[in-house]
Amino acid sequence: MAVVRTVLFYPYSGWRDRPWHESPAVDLLARSGRRVSEVYSREVTALGLQGPSSEARVFLSPAAADSDEGVVQVTVHQDFGGTFEAVHAEIPPGVADLHDAQRAALAFRILRAAVETLAPERGWSAEALGRAATAAQEAAPAWVFAWQSPWKSAPSRRWEARGAFHLVDPDAFGQAWIEARPRGEEDADPVRSDVAPSFVSHEGFKRSARTLSWDGPVATMTSFGHMGLTEPTEVRLDPTSPGPRAAAPNPVTVDESAVPPVVVTVKGSVPEEPTIRFTGGGPMNGVAGAYSTPLFAYLNSLEEQGRNWWAGADRLLLQIDVYFTDERPGISVRRLAHMMTATVRRAAPTTRGVDGEALARADVEALVAKVADRMGLPPLSLDLPDVQESQRPDGW
């Protein structure tokens, strides 16, 4: 099981001067929600929630033309797909007319609804999540996300410096600067460098902070603006000759009366009868058709062949998926509250230049054996079909 650490919107980032999405409402909500995601994720992480994934993704899309303009429709998928929790939110066009602070408030409603809807299925404490939501609102009343690196002493031992960052602007990009104070004077008001543009997340902030160093009496740090798509900025601070102080963000009062309500629908609930469900596989780039064709046919066949065998398990749903990736190759199984997931992970190059049918058969048999071992089921003798369908092209 993983510790839940991240609850975020997709699109997650984009260009500073170009839309992140063709829909203005989606583009602006994704940007306003970037800092909200960081604030809320910080509080959720502190709970140490155990779940099938460390990440919940809320995919934003424009609402259908015939949908209710006055609400945001959120669909929470309870069936875990093997990589991240999936939530979809349909954003009406009127969201583009809201103030940035109102969109931030809406973003929080969506994120909170997504996590708290998943809570009963994942065994998470509703009370703890309520405390996390309250803590997020109290820690950042204007949804300003601030992060500072540890202090680093100068060679002279007279000063210490740290990187300081925040997310506050409606364009979703951060700001970075260096703070310095006399070493040992923890109550001293730090001096600050000029402000430089930074990236959209605390992971980007951490990357910049790792470059913090002292060049003699001057503290230096590289601020990375957009993962290599914009030129990095060198930030410098001579504590004895500081530049203008970085302006602190001003909290604003938010009128939430115009913020649309969030309506949640739950999909993908666990079936009432024992079921084996193969959800598919991908990405298919570079995957040999001689392997993918029999593999998918075998897993589709397992849905019927294995039904009586799976009925002996203490979970109703066995969900099977395939990922062609270099990350953690092999067979993995996860036992969740009301279901089990089983995943085949195989790097695409390993499917080429081999007997694809034999490899597919071996992978399916290994998957079944691992599920049986984890669930205490007897071995299952598979009668895998001859593959009669046309072979899928390589990398289809």
Side-chain angles (χ1 to χ4, degrees), residues 115-162:
V115 174
E116 294 184 0
T117 301
L118 283 168
E121 180 67 19
R122 302 296 183 253
W124 301 336
S125 167
E127 181 181 354
L129 285 169
R131 292 197 304 270
T134 300
Q137 291 173 298
E138 292 177 348
W143 297 113
V144 177
F145 176 75
W147 185 84
Q148 299 84 31
S149 70
W151 292 98
K152 188 169 188 176
S153 296
S156 67
R157 316 300 287 176
R158 292 180 55 198
W159 294 88
E160 57 186 4
R162 69 180 180 182

Side-chain angles (χ1 to χ4, degrees), residues 31 36 48 105 149 178 321 343 349:
R31 291 175 183 267
V36 180
S149 70
I178 298 174
D321 31 44
T343 304

Side-chain angles (χ1 to χ4, degrees), residues 56-108:
R57 298 182 183 179
V58 180
F59 295 91
L60 303 178
S61 61
D66 59 351
S67 63
D68 186 347
E69 169 69 18
V71 302
V72 174
Q73 298 285 347
V74 174
T75 304
V76 178
H77 299 269
Q78 287 189 335
D79 290 354
F80 178 66
T83 302
F84 51 81
E85 303 281 11
V87 179
H88 289 82
E90 299 178 26
I91 311 303
V95 169
D97 299 325
L98 298 176
H99 184 274
D100 167 66
Q102 293 172 317
R103 287 193 297 271
L106 174 59
F108 178 62

Side-chain angles (χ1 to χ4, degrees), residues 15 17 45 64 86 102 121 130 138 157 159 264 309 326 328 347:
W15 295 91
D17 57 351
T45 298
Q102 293 172 317
E121 180 67 19
E138 292 177 348
R157 316 300 287 176
W159 294 88
V264 178
W309 167 76
D326 295 331
R328 292 178 293 137

Side-chain angles (χ1 to χ4, degrees), residues 190-269:
V191 295
R192 301 185 180 187
S193 70
D194 290 335
V195 174
S198 190
F199 194 47
V200 300
S201 73
H202 81 282
E203 291 299 330
F205 297 166
K206 289 178 180 178
R207 180 186 176 207
S208 293
R210 286 193 291 269
T211 70
L212 178 68
S213 63
W214 285 89
D215 181 9
V218 177
T220 69
M221 181 178 70
T222 301
S223 178
F224 299 101
H226 194 300
M227 298 181 67
L229 297 180
T230 56
E231 291 296 323
T233 303
E234 184 180 25
V235 186
R236 298 177 64 85
L237 173 64
D238 181 347
T240 63
S241 302
R245 294 183 179 273
N250 295 318
V252 296
T253 301
V254 181
D255 176 13
E256 296 195 22
S257 61
V259 178
V262 172
V263 177
V264 178
T265 300
V266 177
K267 285 191 176 181
S269 300

Side-chain angles (χ1 to χ4, degrees), residues 329-344:
I331 309 294
S332 63
V333 297
R334 283 179 172 175
R335 183 178 174 131
L336 308 179
H338 301 295
M339 61 184 287
M340 168 173 271
T341 64
T343 304
V344 178

Side-chain angles (χ1 to χ4, degrees), residues 78 148 161 166 173 179-180 206 233 330 350 359 365 374 393:
Q78 287 189 335
Q148 299 84 31
H166 69 205
F173 285 83
E179 296 181 342
K206 289 178 180 178
T233 303
T350 67
L359 184 60
E365 290 175 344
R374 183 69 181 273

